[in-house]
Amino acid sequence: MDVLLREVKDGILTLTMNRPEAINALTTEMLRELGQAIKEASAPEVRVVVLQGAGRGFCSGQDLREFEGQRISYKNHLRNYRSVVEGLAGLEKPVIAAIHGAAAGAGLSLALACDLRIASADAVLTTGFSKIGLIPDAGMNYHLPRMVGYARAFELEVLSGRIKAEEALGLGLVNKVVAVESFAEEVARLASELAQGPTKTYGLIKRALRRSASASLEEMLEYEALLQEVAGRSEDHQEGVRAFYEKRSPRFQGK
Ligand code: T3D
């Protein structure tokens, strides 16, 4: 059985973590495939990525059975997780985490590394690591405090409570909560809207927002000016302005 399913349709690459019997727990093989798939997502025919889980949940984090009885190694950990987390965060196109059921441990870390998180009303998020005496990893200590602030991040990481979808929305951990029945439809609608957008510009927006995490206002003003020069040269910018004057919807090609 393929541990990662990939489908490209209408500019949307859907990556489905596929170990439903263990709520898509992450094995070395799955992480390697995810890293490779995200690298390949830089191809121009892909304009948006959806990351989701098969079966009854999103992802339960590191497969605890895989490392049973073994010591966790710094080297193996970086080899397994780095390219996936950096890949999701650095990919210059929108990445949506479609979360239904459980998102735990490094599974939640992967969702936090995406640009948008759409939760089904049945979603339950938990950092989970401290319950097994580990510290949060896979970028959680980078993304979580930036989303919810230090005090909330501390609470979520230390107490490892189970956060239901509506609470996650209130905390700013997810962008939207959707009824279970319309979840797939809403994810598809959002992905399709993004896939028809100015992909190159979206990538530049993502770059700017990522840079702002560690830059001063002065640096950002300079960086924005640089990126704007690039955006200004894009075909989609020309098309956007033309469409504005012609009073019609733009037809962006993602270039
Ligand atoms: O360097 C390194 O590699 C270290 C990296 C660490 C990164 C991490 O992610 S550490 C954190 C690992 N994840 C967890 O500790 C979460 C463990 N799972 C849970 O807390 C719960 O399963 C969930 C909250 C995710 C879901 O709960 P629930 O009640 O809906 O499902 P369940 O009954 O607990 O699980 C269903 C099955 O999935 C069950 O198998 P069974 O009994 O039916 O054969 C369970 O063992 C399996 N499963 C769930 N999580 C994992 C798992 N199997 C392996 N690894 C898992 N992480």
Side-chain angles (χ1 to χ4, degrees), residues 19-69:
R19 299 189 61 236
E21 70 286 359
I23 317 183
N24 307 309
L26 299 160
T27 56
T28 302
E29 182 191 9
M30 198 200 282
L31 287 162
R32 193 175 46 237
E33 293 213 7
L34 263 174
Q36 189 56 37
I38 295 162
K39 231 182 248 166
E40 289 166 12
S42 56
E45 64 268 23
V46 174
R47 295 176 69 181
V48 59
V49 177
V50 175
L51 179 63
Q52 64 182 19
R56 69 181 175 93
F58 179 74
C59 176
S60 61
Q62 171 65 44
D63 189 298
L64 295 173
R65 290 195 178 90
E66 184 172 57
F67 289 154
E68 219 169 82

mmCIF file of all heavy atoms in Angstrom, residues 19-69:
data_model
loop_
_atom_site.group_PDB
_atom_site.id
_atom_site.type_symbol
_atom_site.label_atom_id
_atom_site.label_comp_id
_atom_site.label_asym_id
_atom_site.label_seq_id
_atom_site.Cartn_x
_atom_site.Cartn_y
_atom_site.Cartn_z
ATOM 1 N N ARG A 19 -1.893 5.963 6.052
ATOM 2 C CA ARG A 19 -1.744 4.824 6.979
ATOM 3 C C ARG A 19 -2.912 4.909 7.962
ATOM 4 O O ARG A 19 -2.726 5.135 9.166
ATOM 5 C CB ARG A 19 -0.404 4.898 7.717
ATOM 6 C CG ARG A 19 0.812 4.853 6.774
ATOM 7 C CD ARG A 19 2.100 4.704 7.538
ATOM 8 N NE ARG A 19 2.129 3.475 8.296
ATOM 9 C CZ ARG A 19 2.334 3.408 9.637
ATOM 10 N NH1 ARG A 19 2.520 4.509 10.350
ATOM 11 N NH2 ARG A 19 2.343 2.257 10.247
ATOM 12 N N PRO A 20 -4.135 4.769 7.426
ATOM 13 C CA PRO A 20 -5.316 5.017 8.268
ATOM 14 C C PRO A 20 -5.379 4.159 9.513
ATOM 15 O O PRO A 20 -5.962 4.570 10.520
ATOM 16 C CB PRO A 20 -6.500 4.756 7.323
ATOM 17 C CG PRO A 20 -5.944 3.993 6.174
ATOM 18 C CD PRO A 20 -4.498 4.364 6.048
ATOM 19 N N GLU A 21 -4.779 2.960 9.472
ATOM 20 C CA GLU A 21 -4.852 2.064 10.637
ATOM 21 C C GLU A 21 -4.144 2.667 11.846
ATOM 22 O O GLU A 21 -4.425 2.293 12.989
ATOM 23 C CB GLU A 21 -4.276 0.674 10.292
ATOM 24 C CG GLU A 21 -2.765 0.590 10.078
ATOM 25 C CD GLU A 21 -2.248 1.191 8.751
ATOM 26 O OE1 GLU A 21 -3.070 1.669 7.947
ATOM 27 O OE2 GLU A 21 -1.021 1.189 8.531
ATOM 28 N N ALA A 22 -3.238 3.613 11.637
ATOM 29 C CA ALA A 22 -2.522 4.262 12.749
ATOM 30 C C ALA A 22 -2.741 5.778 12.695
ATOM 31 O O ALA A 22 -1.866 6.551 13.096
ATOM 32 C CB ALA A 22 -1.034 3.935 12.674
ATOM 33 N N ILE A 23 -3.899 6.188 12.209
ATOM 34 C CA ILE A 23 -4.212 7.619 12.021
ATOM 35 C C ILE A 23 -3.031 8.322 11.330
ATOM 36 O O ILE A 23 -2.583 9.391 11.709
ATOM 37 C CB ILE A 23 -4.602 8.311 13.342
ATOM 38 C CG1 ILE A 23 -5.554 7.408 14.146
ATOM 39 C CG2 ILE A 23 -5.294 9.646 13.085
ATOM 40 C CD1 ILE A 23 -6.070 8.011 15.420
ATOM 41 N N ASN A 24 -2.536 7.656 10.287
ATOM 42 C CA ASN A 24 -1.490 8.235 9.420
ATOM 43 C C ASN A 24 -0.223 8.633 10.174
ATOM 44 O O ASN A 24 0.387 9.674 9.873
ATOM 45 C CB ASN A 24 -2.068 9.413 8.609
ATOM 46 C CG ASN A 24 -3.320 9.000 7.873
ATOM 47 O OD1 ASN A 24 -3.314 7.998 7.173
ATOM 48 N ND2 ASN A 24 -4.411 9.706 8.077
ATOM 49 N N ALA A 25 0.151 7.799 11.150
ATOM 50 C CA ALA A 25 1.397 8.046 11.890
ATOM 51 C C ALA A 25 2.556 8.100 10.892
ATOM 52 O O ALA A 25 2.609 7.346 9.913
ATOM 53 C CB ALA A 25 1.611 6.949 12.923
ATOM 54 N N LEU A 26 3.490 8.994 11.172
ATOM 55 C CA LEU A 26 4.571 9.285 10.221
ATOM 56 C C LEU A 26 5.724 8.296 10.375
ATOM 57 O O LEU A 26 6.349 8.218 11.448
ATOM 58 C CB LEU A 26 5.087 10.707 10.470
ATOM 59 C CG LEU A 26 4.054 11.820 10.294
ATOM 60 C CD1 LEU A 26 4.505 13.090 11.014
ATOM 61 C CD2 LEU A 26 3.827 12.099 8.813
ATOM 62 N N THR A 27 6.004 7.563 9.335
ATOM 63 C CA THR A 27 7.163 6.669 9.327
ATOM 64 C C THR A 27 8.270 7.338 8.511
ATOM 65 O O THR A 27 8.023 8.311 7.784
ATOM 66 C CB THR A 27 6.810 5.339 8.640
ATOM 67 O OG1 THR A 27 6.318 5.650 7.327
ATOM 68 C CG2 THR A 27 5.774 4.559 9.416
ATOM 69 N N THR A 28 9.463 6.786 8.620
ATOM 70 C CA THR A 28 10.586 7.311 7.834
ATOM 71 C C THR A 28 10.238 7.305 6.351
ATOM 72 O O THR A 28 10.498 8.264 5.624
ATOM 73 C CB THR A 28 11.839 6.446 8.090
ATOM 74 O OG1 THR A 28 12.092 6.480 9.496
ATOM 75 C CG2 THR A 28 13.048 6.954 7.345
ATOM 76 N N GLU A 29 9.589 6.209 5.915
ATOM 77 C CA GLU A 29 9.221 6.106 4.493
ATOM 78 C C GLU A 29 8.231 7.213 4.105
ATOM 79 O O GLU A 29 8.383 7.874 3.078
ATOM 80 C CB GLU A 29 8.593 4.724 4.238
ATOM 81 C CG GLU A 29 8.210 4.500 2.791
ATOM 82 C CD GLU A 29 7.358 3.247 2.588
ATOM 83 O OE1 GLU A 29 6.913 2.639 3.580
ATOM 84 O OE2 GLU A 29 7.122 2.912 1.412
ATOM 85 N N MET A 30 7.229 7.440 4.964
ATOM 86 C CA MET A 30 6.230 8.454 4.608
ATOM 87 C C MET A 30 6.851 9.847 4.572
ATOM 88 O O MET A 30 6.584 10.651 3.679
ATOM 89 C CB MET A 30 5.051 8.427 5.582
ATOM 90 C CG MET A 30 3.831 9.140 5.002
ATOM 91 S SD MET A 30 2.658 9.641 6.239
ATOM 92 C CE MET A 30 1.854 8.110 6.586
ATOM 93 N N LEU A 31 7.742 10.106 5.534
ATOM 94 C CA LEU A 31 8.382 11.428 5.574
ATOM 95 C C LEU A 31 9.281 11.625 4.352
ATOM 96 O O LEU A 31 9.322 12.712 3.766
ATOM 97 C CB LEU A 31 9.171 11.586 6.877
ATOM 98 C CG LEU A 31 8.289 11.771 8.112
ATOM 99 C CD1 LEU A 31 9.064 11.492 9.389
ATOM 100 C CD2 LEU A 31 7.694 13.178 8.148
ATOM 101 N N ARG A 32 9.957 10.540 3.949
ATOM 102 C CA ARG A 32 10.822 10.653 2.758
ATOM 103 C C ARG A 32 9.948 10.962 1.535
ATOM 104 O O ARG A 32 10.254 11.841 0.735
ATOM 105 C CB ARG A 32 11.588 9.345 2.560
ATOM 106 C CG ARG A 32 12.729 9.453 1.566
ATOM 107 C CD ARG A 32 13.544 8.191 1.462
ATOM 108 N NE ARG A 32 12.738 6.992 1.349
ATOM 109 C CZ ARG A 32 12.795 5.957 2.183
ATOM 110 N NH1 ARG A 32 13.618 5.967 3.201
ATOM 111 N NH2 ARG A 32 12.027 4.908 2.012
ATOM 112 N N GLU A 33 8.832 10.258 1.413
ATOM 113 C CA GLU A 33 7.942 10.489 0.269
ATOM 114 C C GLU A 33 7.331 11.882 0.301
ATOM 115 O O GLU A 33 7.173 12.526 -0.733
ATOM 116 C CB GLU A 33 6.852 9.422 0.237
ATOM 117 C CG GLU A 33 7.440 8.066 -0.064
ATOM 118 C CD GLU A 33 6.521 7.169 -0.864
ATOM 119 O OE1 GLU A 33 5.459 7.653 -1.303
ATOM 120 O OE2 GLU A 33 6.877 6.010 -1.046
ATOM 121 N N LEU A 34 6.978 12.317 1.505
ATOM 122 C CA LEU A 34 6.409 13.672 1.627
ATOM 123 C C LEU A 34 7.437 14.715 1.180
ATOM 124 O O LEU A 34 7.111 15.636 0.426
ATOM 125 C CB LEU A 34 6.035 13.949 3.087
ATOM 126 C CG LEU A 34 4.589 13.732 3.501
ATOM 127 C CD1 LEU A 34 4.447 13.909 5.006
ATOM 128 C CD2 LEU A 34 3.654 14.700 2.779
ATOM 129 N N GLY A 35 8.677 14.541 1.656
ATOM 130 C CA GLY A 35 9.741 15.484 1.292
ATOM 131 C C GLY A 35 9.924 15.546 -0.213
ATOM 132 O O GLY A 35 10.026 16.627 -0.808
ATOM 133 N N GLN A 36 9.905 14.372 -0.855
ATOM 134 C CA GLN A 36 10.083 14.296 -2.308
ATOM 135 C C GLN A 36 8.895 14.948 -3.029
ATOM 136 O O GLN A 36 9.069 15.737 -3.961
ATOM 137 C CB GLN A 36 10.214 12.807 -2.695
ATOM 138 C CG GLN A 36 10.614 12.547 -4.124
ATOM 139 C CD GLN A 36 11.924 13.238 -4.503
ATOM 140 O OE1 GLN A 36 12.839 13.328 -3.683
ATOM 141 N NE2 GLN A 36 11.994 13.763 -5.720
ATOM 142 N N ALA A 37 7.686 14.636 -2.549
ATOM 143 C CA ALA A 37 6.480 15.171 -3.204
ATOM 144 C C ALA A 37 6.425 16.689 -3.098
ATOM 145 O O ALA A 37 6.013 17.381 -4.037
ATOM 146 C CB ALA A 37 5.232 14.550 -2.571
ATOM 147 N N ILE A 38 6.864 17.218 -1.975
ATOM 148 C CA ILE A 38 6.818 18.679 -1.792
ATOM 149 C C ILE A 38 7.855 19.340 -2.710
ATOM 150 O O ILE A 38 7.608 20.392 -3.289
ATOM 151 C CB ILE A 38 7.032 19.044 -0.304
ATOM 152 C CG1 ILE A 38 5.865 18.520 0.531
ATOM 153 C CG2 ILE A 38 7.149 20.559 -0.119
ATOM 154 C CD1 ILE A 38 6.153 18.417 2.019
ATOM 155 N N LYS A 39 9.002 18.668 -2.852
ATOM 156 C CA LYS A 39 10.017 19.189 -3.784
ATOM 157 C C LYS A 39 9.420 19.253 -5.193
ATOM 158 O O LYS A 39 9.548 20.258 -5.900
ATOM 159 C CB LYS A 39 11.220 18.239 -3.774
ATOM 160 C CG LYS A 39 12.540 18.954 -3.556
ATOM 161 C CD LYS A 39 13.696 17.987 -3.611
ATOM 162 C CE LYS A 39 14.322 17.851 -2.245
ATOM 163 N NZ LYS A 39 15.223 16.712 -2.129
ATOM 164 N N GLU A 40 8.742 18.169 -5.575
ATOM 165 C CA GLU A 40 8.177 18.106 -6.932
ATOM 166 C C GLU A 40 7.029 19.102 -7.120
ATOM 167 O O GLU A 40 6.691 19.456 -8.245
ATOM 168 C CB GLU A 40 7.693 16.675 -7.225
ATOM 169 C CG GLU A 40 8.877 15.716 -7.405
ATOM 170 C CD GLU A 40 8.475 14.247 -7.372
ATOM 171 O OE1 GLU A 40 7.264 13.942 -7.431
ATOM 172 O OE2 GLU A 40 9.384 13.415 -7.255
ATOM 173 N N ALA A 41 6.470 19.560 -5.997
ATOM 174 C CA ALA A 41 5.346 20.507 -6.083
ATOM 175 C C ALA A 41 5.785 21.872 -6.602
ATOM 176 O O ALA A 41 4.953 22.724 -6.905
ATOM 177 C CB ALA A 41 4.684 20.662 -4.717
ATOM 178 N N SER A 42 7.090 22.093 -6.731
ATOM 179 C CA SER A 42 7.522 23.388 -7.279
ATOM 180 C C SER A 42 7.293 23.439 -8.798
ATOM 181 O O SER A 42 7.411 24.496 -9.406
ATOM 182 C CB SER A 42 8.987 23.668 -6.931
ATOM 183 O OG SER A 42 9.773 22.612 -7.405
ATOM 184 N N ALA A 43 6.900 22.326 -9.421
ATOM 185 C CA ALA A 43 6.609 22.309 -10.865
ATOM 186 C C ALA A 43 5.486 23.297 -11.175
ATOM 187 O O ALA A 43 4.544 23.436 -10.389
ATOM 188 C CB ALA A 43 6.197 20.902 -11.282
ATOM 189 N N PRO A 44 5.578 23.989 -12.340
ATOM 190 C CA PRO A 44 4.597 25.048 -12.636
ATOM 191 C C PRO A 44 3.152 24.573 -12.738
ATOM 192 O O PRO A 44 2.221 25.353 -12.512
ATOM 193 C CB PRO A 44 5.080 25.627 -13.974
ATOM 194 C CG PRO A 44 6.155 24.720 -14.475
ATOM 195 C CD PRO A 44 6.639 23.891 -13.347
ATOM 196 N N GLU A 45 2.952 23.278 -13.088
ATOM 197 C CA GLU A 45 1.543 22.831 -13.207
ATOM 198 C C GLU A 45 0.839 22.738 -11.851
ATOM 199 O O GLU A 45 -0.381 22.647 -11.774
ATOM 200 C CB GLU A 45 1.423 21.507 -13.978
ATOM 201 C CG GLU A 45 2.074 20.310 -13.339
ATOM 202 C CD GLU A 45 3.518 20.107 -13.800
ATOM 203 O OE1 GLU A 45 4.148 21.092 -14.245
ATOM 204 O OE2 GLU A 45 4.005 18.968 -13.694
ATOM 205 N N VAL A 46 1.636 22.753 -10.773
ATOM 206 C CA VAL A 46 1.024 22.745 -9.431
ATOM 207 C C VAL A 46 0.880 24.184 -8.968
ATOM 208 O O VAL A 46 1.845 24.937 -8.913
ATOM 209 C CB VAL A 46 1.903 21.957 -8.429
ATOM 210 C CG1 VAL A 46 1.343 22.066 -7.015
ATOM 211 C CG2 VAL A 46 2.031 20.496 -8.844
ATOM 212 N N ARG A 47 -0.346 24.586 -8.616
ATOM 213 C CA ARG A 47 -0.557 25.975 -8.176
ATOM 214 C C ARG A 47 -1.033 26.055 -6.726
ATOM 215 O O ARG A 47 -1.069 27.125 -6.141
ATOM 216 C CB ARG A 47 -1.519 26.677 -9.138
ATOM 217 C CG ARG A 47 -0.862 26.782 -10.525
ATOM 218 C CD ARG A 47 -1.762 27.377 -11.561
ATOM 219 N NE ARG A 47 -2.034 28.782 -11.333
ATOM 220 C CZ ARG A 47 -2.828 29.504 -12.111
ATOM 221 N NH1 ARG A 47 -3.428 28.948 -13.156
ATOM 222 N NH2 ARG A 47 -3.041 30.779 -11.852
ATOM 223 N N VAL A 48 -1.398 24.923 -6.175
ATOM 224 C CA VAL A 48 -1.764 24.868 -4.752
ATOM 225 C C VAL A 48 -1.608 23.419 -4.283
ATOM 226 O O VAL A 48 -1.736 22.496 -5.079
ATOM 227 C CB VAL A 48 -3.206 25.416 -4.532
ATOM 228 C CG1 VAL A 48 -4.226 24.648 -5.319
ATOM 229 C CG2 VAL A 48 -3.599 25.391 -3.069
ATOM 230 N N VAL A 49 -1.267 23.269 -3.005
ATOM 231 C CA VAL A 49 -1.102 21.918 -2.451
ATOM 232 C C VAL A 49 -2.102 21.739 -1.305
ATOM 233 O O VAL A 49 -2.286 22.646 -0.486
ATOM 234 C CB VAL A 49 0.338 21.711 -1.911
ATOM 235 C CG1 VAL A 49 0.495 20.331 -1.267
ATOM 236 C CG2 VAL A 49 1.364 21.883 -3.035
ATOM 237 N N VAL A 50 -2.726 20.580 -1.278
ATOM 238 C CA VAL A 50 -3.593 20.218 -0.144
ATOM 239 C C VAL A 50 -2.956 19.014 0.551
ATOM 240 O O VAL A 50 -2.653 18.015 -0.094
ATOM 241 C CB VAL A 50 -5.024 19.855 -0.613
ATOM 242 C CG1 VAL A 50 -5.866 19.373 0.564
ATOM 243 C CG2 VAL A 50 -5.686 21.035 -1.297
ATOM 244 N N LEU A 51 -2.744 19.141 1.851
ATOM 245 C CA LEU A 51 -2.210 18.026 2.642
ATOM 246 C C LEU A 51 -3.340 17.502 3.519
ATOM 247 O O LEU A 51 -3.947 18.273 4.282
ATOM 248 C CB LEU A 51 -1.037 18.521 3.511
ATOM 249 C CG LEU A 51 -0.377 17.469 4.412
ATOM 250 C CD1 LEU A 51 0.273 16.350 3.601
ATOM 251 C CD2 LEU A 51 0.673 18.127 5.318
ATOM 252 N N GLN A 52 -3.609 16.206 3.408
ATOM 253 C CA GLN A 52 -4.721 15.631 4.179
ATOM 254 C C GLN A 52 -4.389 14.215 4.618
ATOM 255 O O GLN A 52 -3.359 13.665 4.234
ATOM 256 C CB GLN A 52 -6.005 15.645 3.335
ATOM 257 C CG GLN A 52 -5.909 14.770 2.095
ATOM 258 C CD GLN A 52 -7.162 14.814 1.215
ATOM 259 O OE1 GLN A 52 -7.971 15.731 1.309
ATOM 260 N NE2 GLN A 52 -7.326 13.816 0.370
ATOM 261 N N GLY A 53 -5.267 13.654 5.437
ATOM 262 C CA GLY A 53 -5.050 12.292 5.917
ATOM 263 C C GLY A 53 -6.162 11.370 5.439
ATOM 264 O O GLY A 53 -7.304 11.796 5.286
ATOM 265 N N ALA A 54 -5.826 10.094 5.232
ATOM 266 C CA ALA A 54 -6.839 9.101 4.851
ATOM 267 C C ALA A 54 -7.502 8.554 6.120
ATOM 268 O O ALA A 54 -6.903 8.566 7.190
ATOM 269 C CB ALA A 54 -6.166 7.966 4.087
ATOM 270 N N GLY A 55 -8.735 8.083 5.967
ATOM 271 C CA GLY A 55 -9.398 7.434 7.104
ATOM 272 C C GLY A 55 -9.969 8.433 8.094
ATOM 273 O O GLY A 55 -10.487 9.468 7.703
ATOM 274 N N ARG A 56 -9.818 8.118 9.381
ATOM 275 C CA ARG A 56 -10.580 8.910 10.364
ATOM 276 C C ARG A 56 -9.850 10.087 10.981
ATOM 277 O O ARG A 56 -10.360 10.737 11.894
ATOM 278 C CB ARG A 56 -11.150 8.010 11.446
ATOM 279 C CG ARG A 56 -10.146 7.386 12.389
ATOM 280 C CD ARG A 56 -10.919 6.505 13.378
ATOM 281 N NE ARG A 56 -10.075 5.759 14.249
ATOM 282 C CZ ARG A 56 -9.706 6.195 15.461
ATOM 283 N NH1 ARG A 56 -10.061 7.388 15.875
ATOM 284 N NH2 ARG A 56 -8.952 5.431 16.224
ATOM 285 N N GLY A 57 -8.627 10.377 10.521
ATOM 286 C CA GLY A 57 -7.936 11.533 11.093
ATOM 287 C C GLY A 57 -6.892 12.098 10.162
ATOM 288 O O GLY A 57 -6.612 11.528 9.092
ATOM 289 N N PHE A 58 -6.304 13.219 10.576
ATOM 290 C CA PHE A 58 -5.278 13.885 9.761
ATOM 291 C C PHE A 58 -3.947 13.152 9.928
ATOM 292 O O PHE A 58 -3.464 12.494 9.025
ATOM 293 C CB PHE A 58 -5.178 15.359 10.198
ATOM 294 C CG PHE A 58 -4.140 16.157 9.469
ATOM 295 C CD1 PHE A 58 -4.351 16.560 8.159
ATOM 296 C CD2 PHE A 58 -2.954 16.521 10.087
ATOM 297 C CE1 PHE A 58 -3.387 17.308 7.474
ATOM 298 C CE2 PHE A 58 -1.995 17.267 9.420
ATOM 299 C CZ PHE A 58 -2.210 17.660 8.107
ATOM 300 N N CYS A 59 -3.386 13.215 11.133
ATOM 301 C CA CYS A 59 -2.084 12.568 11.360
ATOM 302 C C CYS A 59 -1.790 12.532 12.861
ATOM 303 O O CYS A 59 -1.938 13.541 13.551
ATOM 304 C CB CYS A 59 -1.002 13.356 10.613
ATOM 305 S SG CYS A 59 0.660 12.742 10.902
ATOM 306 N N SER A 60 -1.339 11.373 13.330
ATOM 307 C CA SER A 60 -1.087 11.191 14.773
ATOM 308 C C SER A 60 0.371 11.437 15.151
ATOM 309 O O SER A 60 0.800 11.096 16.246
ATOM 310 C CB SER A 60 -1.506 9.784 15.204
ATOM 311 O OG SER A 60 -0.751 8.821 14.488
ATOM 312 N N GLY A 61 1.161 12.007 14.227
ATOM 313 C CA GLY A 61 2.556 12.317 14.552
ATOM 314 C C GLY A 61 3.477 11.147 14.264
ATOM 315 O O GLY A 61 3.098 10.187 13.581
ATOM 316 N N GLN A 62 4.665 11.235 14.799
ATOM 317 C CA GLN A 62 5.656 10.173 14.594
ATOM 318 C C GLN A 62 5.075 8.806 14.947
ATOM 319 O O GLN A 62 4.409 8.665 15.976
ATOM 320 C CB GLN A 62 6.879 10.460 15.483
ATOM 321 C CG GLN A 62 7.880 9.347 15.545
ATOM 322 C CD GLN A 62 8.533 9.088 14.189
ATOM 323 O OE1 GLN A 62 8.907 10.014 13.486
ATOM 324 N NE2 GLN A 62 8.669 7.828 13.817
ATOM 325 N N ASP A 63 5.317 7.827 14.103
ATOM 326 C CA ASP A 63 4.886 6.471 14.420
ATOM 327 C C ASP A 63 5.704 5.966 15.610
ATOM 328 O O ASP A 63 6.916 5.774 15.499
ATOM 329 C CB ASP A 63 5.074 5.547 13.209
ATOM 330 C CG ASP A 63 4.421 4.202 13.453
ATOM 331 O OD1 ASP A 63 4.854 3.502 14.396
ATOM 332 O OD2 ASP A 63 3.478 3.853 12.740
ATOM 333 N N LEU A 64 5.015 5.780 16.721
ATOM 334 C CA LEU A 64 5.723 5.413 17.950
ATOM 335 C C LEU A 64 6.247 3.981 17.889
ATOM 336 O O LEU A 64 7.215 3.637 18.549
ATOM 337 C CB LEU A 64 4.803 5.614 19.155
ATOM 338 C CG LEU A 64 4.405 7.078 19.399
ATOM 339 C CD1 LEU A 64 3.362 7.177 20.502
ATOM 340 C CD2 LEU A 64 5.618 7.932 19.740
ATOM 341 N N ARG A 65 5.611 3.165 17.047
ATOM 342 C CA ARG A 65 6.065 1.767 16.941
ATOM 343 C C ARG A 65 7.384 1.677 16.182
ATOM 344 O O ARG A 65 8.199 0.816 16.458
ATOM 345 C CB ARG A 65 5.011 0.914 16.246
ATOM 346 C CG ARG A 65 3.796 0.734 17.129
ATOM 347 C CD ARG A 65 2.867 -0.384 16.675
ATOM 348 N NE ARG A 65 1.768 -0.480 17.620
ATOM 349 C CZ ARG A 65 0.635 0.197 17.501
ATOM 350 N NH1 ARG A 65 0.436 0.999 16.481
ATOM 351 N NH2 ARG A 65 -0.311 0.079 18.410
ATOM 352 N N GLU A 66 7.570 2.597 15.242
ATOM 353 C CA GLU A 66 8.779 2.523 14.405
ATOM 354 C C GLU A 66 10.055 2.654 15.240
ATOM 355 O O GLU A 66 11.055 2.007 14.968
ATOM 356 C CB GLU A 66 8.764 3.617 13.331
ATOM 357 C CG GLU A 66 9.946 3.510 12.391
ATOM 358 C CD GLU A 66 9.868 4.456 11.200
ATOM 359 O OE1 GLU A 66 9.765 5.674 11.416
ATOM 360 O OE2 GLU A 66 9.917 3.978 10.067
ATOM 361 N N PHE A 67 9.994 3.505 16.263
ATOM 362 C CA PHE A 67 11.207 3.749 17.041
ATOM 363 C C PHE A 67 11.209 3.054 18.403
ATOM 364 O O PHE A 67 12.039 3.341 19.243
ATOM 365 C CB PHE A 67 11.410 5.262 17.234
ATOM 366 C CG PHE A 67 11.811 5.957 15.970
ATOM 367 C CD1 PHE A 67 11.538 7.300 15.783
ATOM 368 C CD2 PHE A 67 12.472 5.274 14.955
ATOM 369 C CE1 PHE A 67 11.905 7.944 14.604
ATOM 370 C CE2 PHE A 67 12.841 5.911 13.780
ATOM 371 C CZ PHE A 67 12.551 7.252 13.605
ATOM 372 N N GLU A 68 10.249 2.114 18.575
ATOM 373 C CA GLU A 68 10.136 1.430 19.853
ATOM 374 C C GLU A 68 11.481 0.810 20.249
ATOM 375 O O GLU A 68 12.116 0.117 19.447
ATOM 376 C CB GLU A 68 9.081 0.330 19.745
ATOM 377 C CG GLU A 68 8.224 0.198 20.977
ATOM 378 C CD GLU A 68 7.040 -0.713 20.698
ATOM 379 O OE1 GLU A 68 7.232 -1.946 20.765
ATOM 380 O OE2 GLU A 68 5.972 -0.187 20.386
ATOM 381 N N GLY A 69 11.927 1.088 21.448
ATOM 382 C CA GLY A 69 13.159 0.470 21.931
ATOM 383 C C GLY A 69 14.423 1.113 21.398
ATOM 384 O O GLY A 69 15.523 0.712 21.757
#
